[in-house]
Amino acid sequence: MTSPRIEETRSNDPGDQTERNFRYQHQYGVVLLLAVRRGSLGYISLYCEHHEDFLAERSDGLFDGYQVKTSKPENGAWTLTSTALVRSIGRFVDLLESYPQQIGDFFFVSNSEIDSITAESTDFVRRGRCPRIMVAHVKGCAFVGDIKEPYRTAFDKLAAGLGAAPPRLLDVLKRLSFIKAPSREEFDASLAHEHLGTLAECAALTTSELTDLRDGLVSMFHKAASIHVTDPDRHVRDFLSGGSADPFLLSKRIVCADVVIAAPAVTTQAVAYQGKPVISLDGSRPKGVLEQKLAQGGIGDTVEYMKAREQAAEYHFLEEQAKNPRAAGHQLRQVEEAVHGECLEAYMSTKTPGQPFGQKMFNEVTLRLRKLEVDRKELLGGQPYEVLMGTAALLTSECRIWWSERFPVQGGRT
């Protein structure tokens, strides 16, 4: 009898299965990144393996938590007795307990289905532990005492099992959503062709190029999720004492606007705006206009933020003007028109007659300008996001940008 050969015999080593599960998590990170690029999500950055599988930084300063779990089909749908789901909810409880003012929403993502049940079912025990139905019920409850059976029994068991305070658990469940992601077998193809392939910047890529791009992005998330720090300053500074950004945490952060998805197939032609700059750098702008317009738009709490960027941008442009007046004037014209165009489009898309829309517009402007910084470096001369936002503030003072419906501005140009 011939002995089996080691290279031809499958082993029981679970390492490959573990690696596949980790890859699934990193693949979902790419899904989030591409959703930001499409405009479906408004995240500024994604932290990998930092408190949660993903901690997504929103434009309002809050963070959404993501738990990504895989399961074999034979294990069935997720219920409130499933160990991995219960543990994920427990992590969400701990996170909200630790950072109550900084957390937004929670998401449980999996390749497996969430248990479902028909409205006609009389199996109240199963109904009570059905995650989606139970969460839908508690989202309508202001207090723990409002939770009805059969959900109250399941809720109490969950709270007891986690050792969680019932009001805190209720808060978590009210913020919780469930997402069905692709199967492990189809994820690679879906990511390459449905997610990447439909982006404008990837339209000209071949199947092989999409595959290589997908794997590169997945590797980027794998690196961010690992303890891989190459910043040499980690050897010469005491980051624990404060005052400097921790390179360990920075290595886990992926800034969505900084990621280059794919180089354009055709070189982009730079548009040259004609004429002289509208922004005045001689200090002759009306005083108090910025404050009035932000307050009217319902975003008065951004005044100090916008004023600081306005002053920084003006000082930057003055420095450039001192070096080369002609080139600086041309560059200022390009920047102000590009920024004005983005702000005007944001204004038109968010304008709601008779209602304040300043906050919604501000959120869209921040996303647009971060994208502009990356996508139009040639047009803008490599100007950073802070200068672009400062230009928006300058244009607001010049009465070219509004954050509300127009109104009589005291001392301003109409």
Side-chain angles (χ1 to χ4, degrees):
M1 181 177 178
T2 303
S3 299
R5 292 189 57 80
I6 189 171
E7 77 272 21
E8 297 175 355
T9 306
R10 292 193 179 190
S11 73
N12 295 321
D13 188 333
D16 51 1
Q17 295 294 329
T18 301
E19 286 297 326
R20 184 171 71 161
N21 291 340
F22 279 130
R23 178 176 174 81
Y24 189 94
Q25 180 178 314
H26 304 148
Q27 287 170 315
Y28 196 76
V30 179
V31 167
L32 292 175
L33 172 65
L34 299 183
V36 173
R37 188 55 56 91
R38 291 196 309 273
S40 301
L41 294 175
Y43 295 139
I44 294 173
S45 62
L46 300 170
Y47 287 85
C48 305
E49 292 292 351
H50 181 55
H51 297 289
E52 302 295 348
D53 291 339
F54 294 106
L55 200 61
E57 181 183 7
R58 304 180 349 183
S59 57
D60 60 4
L62 299 180
F63 293 85
D64 289 345
Y66 283 81
Q67 280 284 310
V68 182
K69 300 299 178 187
T70 55
S71 176
K72 295 180 180 179
E74 56 267 29
N75 291 339
W78 295 100
T79 72
L80 288 176
T81 60
S82 301
T83 301
L85 174 56
V86 172
R87 287 177 177 172
S88 293
I89 294 174
R91 290 182 64 91
F92 292 150
V93 170
D94 292 341
L95 187 64
L96 189 59
E97 187 75 36
S98 300
Y99 306 95
Q101 304 303 318
Q102 301 176 53
I103 302 302
D105 298 312
F106 298 112
F107 298 90
F108 181 83
V109 181
S110 179
N111 62 314
S112 293
E113 298 284 353
I114 297 295
D115 191 31
S116 60
I117 194 170
T118 65
E120 293 77 20
S121 175
T122 58
D123 187 343
F124 291 104
V125 174
R126 182 182 175 190
R127 182 182 293 277
R129 66 180 184 226
C130 184
R132 201 183 302 277
I133 298 177
M134 196 257 210
V135 167
H137 172 75
V138 301
K139 285 185 177 182
C141 299
F143 304 100
V144 173
D146 297 333
I147 302 176
K148 307 299 183 184
E149 292 292 358
Y151 311 108
R152 181 57 187 269
T153 297
F155 178 90
D156 290 342
K157 287 183 178 179
L158 184 60
L162 294 173
R168 184 66 75 189
L169 176 59
L170 176 62
D171 196 1
V172 167
L173 295 179
K174 287 167 74 72
R175 304 175 189 219
L176 180 60
S177 296
F178 300 99
I179 297 176
K180 173 67 166 64
S183 69
R184 287 181 289 195
E185 292 73 21
E186 70 171 311
F187 212 159
D188 273 328
S190 176
L191 194 54
H193 302 291
E194 296 179 1
H195 293 269
L196 277 169
T198 55
L199 290 179
E201 56 262 55
C202 299
L205 298 185
T206 65
T207 298
S208 177
E209 290 171 333
L210 286 172
T211 298
D212 290 342
L213 176 58
R214 174 203 66 206
D215 290 342
L217 292 172
V218 171
S219 295
M220 177 183 67
F221 277 89
H222 170 74
K223 180 180 177 181
S226 63
I227 306 176
H228 183 82
V229 185
T230 58
D231 187 342
D233 282 347
R234 73 191 189 280
H235 296 147
V236 296
R237 294 182 185 174
D238 178 9
F239 294 96
L240 295 179
S241 62
S244 299
D246 186 344
F248 176 80
L249 295 181
L250 291 179
S251 70
K252 290 180 168 292
R253 185 182 188 226
I254 294 175
V255 179
C256 298
D258 289 351
V259 179
V260 177
I261 300 298
V266 179
T267 302
T268 302
Q269 297 290 328
V271 176
Y273 294 104
Q274 303 302 309
K276 296 181 179 180
V278 173
I279 292 176
S280 171
L281 299 177
D282 57 7
S284 64
R285 288 186 307 281
K287 303 296 183 182
V289 173
L290 179 67
E291 293 87 338
Q292 293 177 60
K293 294 174 108 177
L294 295 177
Q296 186 73 13
I299 50 174
D301 52 353
T302 66
V303 168
E304 294 304 318
Y305 169 89
M306 293 293 278
K307 285 177 68 176
R309 277 145 186 78
E310 179 184 41
Q311 294 170 2
E314 183 174 26
Y315 182 75
H316 172 80
F317 290 134
L318 284 170
E319 280 191 320
E320 294 298 310
Q321 191 176 68
K323 297 175 185 176
N324 189 331
R326 182 176 179 180
H330 171 76
Q331 188 61 69
L332 176 57
R333 179 64 174 163
Q334 306 312 303
V335 173
E336 70 177 10
E337 283 302 319
V339 171
H340 179 255
E342 295 296 333
C343 291
L344 180 60
E345 290 178 16
Y347 175 87
M348 296 304 296
S349 68
T350 59
K351 181 180 179 182
T352 308
Q355 298 181 24
F357 55 88
Q359 182 65 64
K360 190 174 182 181
M361 177 180 168
F362 181 84
N363 293 344
E364 182 165 337
V365 166
T366 60
L367 294 176
R368 283 174 171 268
L369 295 188
R370 288 188 185 278
K371 190 172 187 299
L372 187 67
E373 174 193 20
V374 176
D375 294 349
R376 305 304 301 275
K377 286 185 180 294
E378 183 178 355
L379 171 68
L380 302 175
Q383 301 293 350
Y385 168 78
E386 290 76 12
V387 169
L388 302 185
M389 184 57 83
T391 302
L394 287 165
L395 290 169
T396 300
S397 294
E398 294 283 357
C399 281
R400 291 193 67 197
I401 293 176
W402 295 79
W403 303 87
S404 66
E405 294 186 82
R406 289 177 177 256
F407 64 95
V409 179
Q410 296 181 8
R413 307 184 184 103
T414 56

